[in-house]
Amino acid sequence: MGKLLMKGNEVIAEAAVHAGCKYFFGYPITPQSELVAYMARRLPEAGGLFLQAESEIAAINMVYGAAGTGVRVMTSSSSPGFSLKQEGISYLAGAELPALIVNIARGGPGLGNIQPAQSDYFQVTKGGGHGDYNIPVLAPATLQEIIDLIREAFEIADRYRTPVILLGDGMLGQMMEAVEFPEKPAVKETHKEWTTTGTRGDGAPRVITSLDLNAESLEQRNEHLQRKFASIRQNEARFETLYCEDADYFVVAYGTVARIAVNAVKKARKDGVKAGLIRPITLWPFPLQPFIDTRDRAKGYLAVEMSAGQMVDDVRLSVNGRAAVSFFGRTGGVVPTQEEIYEQLIITAGGGDVNENGI
Amino acid sequence: MKTVFEKTSGLKDTPTHYCPGCTHGIIHRLVAEVLEEMDILEDTVGVASVGCSVLSYDYFNCDMTQAAHGRAPAVATGIKRVLPDRFVFTYQGDGDLASIGIGEAIHAAARGENITIIFVNNAIYGMTGGQMAPTTLIGQKTATSPDGRNAALQGMPIKVAELMATLDGAAHIERVSAHDVPNIIKAKKAIRKAFETQKAGLGFSLIEVLSSCPTNWGLSPTESLEWIKENMLPIFPLGVYKNSSVGGKA
Ligand SMILES: Cc1ncc(C[n+]2csc(CCOP(=O)(O)OP(=O)(O)O)c2C)c(N)n1
Ligand code: SF4
């Protein structure tokens, strides 16, 4: 197929079409509007359907309806719109319906701005809606990686009967890079025996619901969900490491920030600081392994985020007190520079005070 | 021996949880009979809403999906857009449709979604214990309008059938009532017409059914039926508000 120069939001859309997604229900919001517009043009020619909903609430509930028929379906939004989808996401989790939800996050809280941010980390990884549930969250750092992760997102969704979130930021959505799509769309569809499509001679009527009025049996449903989440934790954590074998200091960053951090780590190594990078690719489940592998010899970890400090909590839990964890973040749409991250890394390596946001 | 009365195959063999004298059960039966008579039970996906009818998925003998409060028309849209050759209906109360879900209902109608909404108007929130609904009558006492609904404070009741009929995407809109036998027969005809409208692909249909809530109205079942006639009919006039062309004039 060869390389194509595309915008991040368009890559997400095209990758979803390649992964067999035929239905998209969306609502415009910057910085993900290109995704919606791309789908409006692309899905009809791919034999699918695009529908602009009247709100994010309606869009996620259309996804719920479509997901119940067993098709691959998605929606996308950015932070304020993503907040509105939380009710529907909780219902998807409760009724165990597979779907893909994209959040191209922007500065908050409130209306915030349209610049890139990672301040929806808590919302996407800690449940977000009501009830005991978790959603697998994938965080690509490059446009090429989006293509792989979207395919995996739909497969994870089907395999575990769960909604899956792809979390990016405005920078990832807006940047242009050369990407290559696989020649043959790799669509591994799972047989779904639980769908509501009209019985049509296929046994007794089926019901899709998250309601269970009996306490004991709702607890059993919850235990079933928790077993599923445990299995996702066990099998689906993904990460990438760089220079971690001999490193003393570890920068932890995901998504676009990890790309900037790579250069800071390289510069620090040139200057004689043994630095490494841990890049979580799944934010839930948060990858424990790279911390288990390094925390007993690490001299320190530095979490870098475009937030006031959210992922850093998971880093602390994973390090579990065995080494110092410091934090550097910029908020409101300000992107941390390579120099800033380098400086923080040197401070971390010097064991000195980190910064006013640190611990 | 000749069978003169049978249970409809449109309902499962499960006792319902509705209070004595509640007309939800009658409305279920009408919908179920229509699905049976049109022989479309196996081609139908119903959407249960949040309200006393939340468990309607345990009663209707067809595939069912349970939607979040007010979102049934959006859920139905998702199903119907994937499966345009199936029948899709929602069954919603007046709190569900006329309050929290009015946006989803209006936009489904505006898009001309080829679905059918069974809208049960009992002028109150039944399930949560008798609070004021958008359809509560002026002067009607509820848990959240203890001195009676006051137009200056709480506004006027919303007339859903009239409202929906203003939308170009709405093909068939009709208001009927479940308070006596002649009206129940008319209600069934209207529900049939709505599903025929959907079958013909003409677009959105909504049947508003005036229904009783003896428990939260604080009335006996018989008094409740009388209350619909005396108090609801003048505010919510019965009739066809938008007539689809199927089967001639309603
Ligand atoms: C988001 C949300 N808000 C509130 C509720 C609580 N609730 C359950 S049923 C209901 C009202 C139902 O009334 P109506 O739609 O009139 O149906 P009825 O019970 O009268 O048949 C409410 C407010 C809920 N389940 N979800
Ligand atoms: S509370 Fe009212 S609407 Fe609900 S079942 Fe009882 S009578 Fe019917």
Side-chain angles (χ1 to χ4, degrees):
Chain A
M1 209 169 173
K3 294 238 173 200
L4 297 167
L5 189 65
M6 289 176 79
K7 227 180 196 187
N9 283 329
E10 298 174 344
V11 174
I12 294 172
E14 186 58 39
V17 174
H18 269 251
C21 173
K22 286 225 169 73
Y23 297 90
F24 184 101
F25 301 94
Y27 189 81
I29 184 169
T30 312
Q32 62 83 58
S33 292
E34 297 86 357
L35 206 170
V36 183
Y38 191 94
M39 282 305 208
R41 187 162 35 81
R42 183 72 173 92
L43 276 177
E45 72 187 36
L49 174 111
F50 165 87
L51 191 65
Q52 179 166 327
E54 63 270 27
S55 69
E56 288 85 353
I57 296 177
I60 193 71
N61 283 286
M62 291 174 186
V63 166
Y64 180 96
T69 71
V71 295
R72 286 197 167 168
V73 55
M74 72 179 286
T75 182
S76 69
S77 192
S78 179
S79 310
F82 194 83
S83 292
L84 285 181
K85 292 191 191 290
Q86 289 296 349
E87 177 199 56
I89 295 173
S90 170
Y91 275 72
L92 286 167
E96 297 192 86
L97 294 179
L100 174 65
I101 306 131
V102 175
N103 181 3
I104 300 298
R106 62 188 237 182
L111 200 48
N113 62 20
I114 58 170
Q115 264 70 260
Q118 295 182 320
S119 42
D120 294 354
Y121 182 93
F122 282 156
Q123 195 185 33
V124 297
T125 60
K126 309 295 177 195
H130 57 286
D132 268 327
Y133 71 90
N134 286 101
I135 307 273
V137 183
L138 302 170
T142 68
L143 302 203
Q144 188 64 46
E145 190 178 30
I146 287 173
I147 297 172
D148 299 333
L149 290 187
I150 292 268
R151 195 197 60 240
E152 289 191 43
F154 279 111
E155 285 169 9
I156 292 171
D158 281 353
R159 198 176 320 135
Y160 296 96
R161 280 187 66 177
T162 177
V164 174
I165 293 168
L166 187 101
L167 179 71
D169 60 60
M171 199 169 15
L172 190 82
Q174 298 299 319
M175 70 168 65
M176 289 190 86
E177 275 180 346
V179 292
E180 194 167 359
F181 286 89
E183 275 305 328
K184 228 175 132 210
V187 181
K188 267 191 257 160
E189 292 261 18
T190 325
H191 175 69
K192 297 162 179 165
E193 70 295 323
W194 44 264
T195 55
T196 52
T197 54
T199 52
R200 298 201 150 185
D202 189 19
R206 298 185 185 122
V207 173
I208 288 174
T209 183
S210 57
L211 178 75
D212 197 327
L213 291 170
N214 179 283
E216 273 76 29
S217 79
L218 182 57
E219 185 176 51
Q220 276 168 20
R221 280 175 81 111
N222 275 310
E223 284 165 357
H224 157 76
L225 287 180
Q226 291 304 321
R227 281 193 295 276
K228 175 166 94 175
F229 299 147
S231 141
I232 297 175
R233 268 196 199 93
Q234 181 123 50
N235 301 314
E236 306 299 341
R238 289 162 173 69
F239 60 93
E240 186 182 59
T241 57
L242 186 70
Y243 308 129
C244 281
E245 303 73 31
D246 68 340
D248 294 328
Y249 299 97
F250 300 84
V251 174
V252 189
Y254 68 94
T256 46
V257 175
R259 295 172 64 138
I260 305 166
V262 169
N263 295 322
V265 166
K266 284 184 180 162
K267 184 162 161 27
R269 286 188 86 88
K270 243 189 235 150
D271 296 347
V273 176
K274 282 193 179 169
L277 176 79
I278 297 172
R279 177 171 77 90
I281 296 173
T282 52
L283 303 181
W284 191 88
F286 192 75
L288 205 54
Q289 198 56 47
F291 298 94
I292 292 173
D293 293 346
T294 57
R295 65 192 183 190
D296 287 324
R297 63 179 163 85
K299 293 187 178 153
Y301 294 84
L302 170 66
V304 185
E305 301 173 59
M306 290 193 285
S307 82
Q310 301 195 9
M311 176 195 65
V312 65
D313 283 4
D314 283 332
V315 175
R316 288 193 187 108
L317 285 170
S318 307
V319 171
N320 203 14
R322 317 250 178 124
V325 176
S326 54
F327 168 73
F328 176 67
R330 298 299 304 263
T331 70
V334 180
V335 179
T337 63
Q338 178 189 322
E339 292 70 35
E340 284 174 325
I341 300 174
Y342 170 80
E343 241 170 69
Q344 293 303 318
L345 186 51
I346 297 304
I347 295 171
T348 305
D353 240 15
V354 183
N355 64 66
E356 70 269 21
N357 297 328
I359 37 162
Chain B
M1 208 164 62
K2 197 170 148 232
T3 310
V4 288
F5 184 81
E6 256 186 328
K7 255 198 90 212
T8 164
S9 67
L11 290 174
K12 292 178 192 161
D13 206 4
T14 315
T16 70
H17 67 287
Y18 297 112
C19 307
C22 175
T23 43
H24 260 307
I26 293 175
I27 303 165
H28 277 30
R29 190 180 162 99
L30 299 182
V31 174
E33 284 178 357
V34 166
L35 296 179
E36 183 192 16
E37 286 162 20
M38 288 176 72
D39 195 20
I40 57 172
L41 275 166
E42 297 225 329
D43 293 324
T44 298
V45 184
V47 183
S49 65
V50 177
C52 279
S53 61
V54 66
L55 289 175
S56 64
Y57 62 70
D58 280 342
Y59 311 142
F60 287 115
N61 196 17
C62 60
D63 273 1
M64 295 290 294
T65 293
Q66 201 286 312
H69 196 24
R71 317 299 176 214
V75 172
T77 297
I79 300 169
K80 187 73 180 188
R81 293 291 181 134
V82 176
L83 302 169
D85 64 341
R86 285 342 116 86
F87 291 85
V88 180
F89 76 93
T90 72
Y91 187 105
Q92 301 176 255
D94 46 2
D96 192 83
L97 184 140
S99 191
I100 194 167
I102 191 82
E104 283 76 6
I106 285 179
H107 282 276
R111 285 190 303 269
E113 292 297 340
N114 195 27
I115 60 172
T116 298
I117 291 183
I118 307 298
F119 169 53
V120 179
N121 177 358
N122 58 12
I124 207 156
Y125 282 26
M127 190 190 213
T128 38
Q131 296 83 3
M132 187 184 70
T135 43
T136 293
L137 304 181
I138 295 300
Q140 188 184 338
K141 288 187 176 156
T142 71
T144 50
S145 57
D147 300 325
R149 182 175 185 161
N150 167 353
L153 186 63
Q154 292 129 336
M156 298 291 285
I158 295 181
K159 299 172 179 181
V160 169
E162 288 86 335
L163 176 66
M164 291 295 172
T166 65
L167 297 164
D168 291 339
H172 190 82
I173 308 287
E174 189 167 346
R175 184 183 289 121
V176 293
S177 176
H179 73 278
D180 62 18
V181 174
N183 277 289
I184 289 169
I185 292 166
K186 276 192 200 155
K188 183 171 167 189
K189 282 200 182 122
I191 292 168
R192 171 88 190 218
K193 176 113 178 175
F195 279 96
E196 293 287 357
T197 300
Q198 186 175 162
K199 187 175 181 181
L202 296 175
F204 183 85
S205 50
L206 178 144
I207 306 300
E208 174 171 346
V209 190
L210 303 185
S211 184
S212 66
C213 180
T215 302
N216 289 301
W217 292 352
L219 300 173
S220 74
T222 335
E223 287 166 347
S224 295
L225 300 177
E226 199 52 37
W227 197 86
I228 294 180
K229 201 163 126 194
E230 294 293 309
N231 298 286
M232 289 181 82
L233 290 187
I235 307 299
F236 300 114
L238 306 185
V240 178
Y241 287 85
K242 194 115 182 221
N243 198 357
S244 82
S245 53
V246 270
K249 281 205 185 315

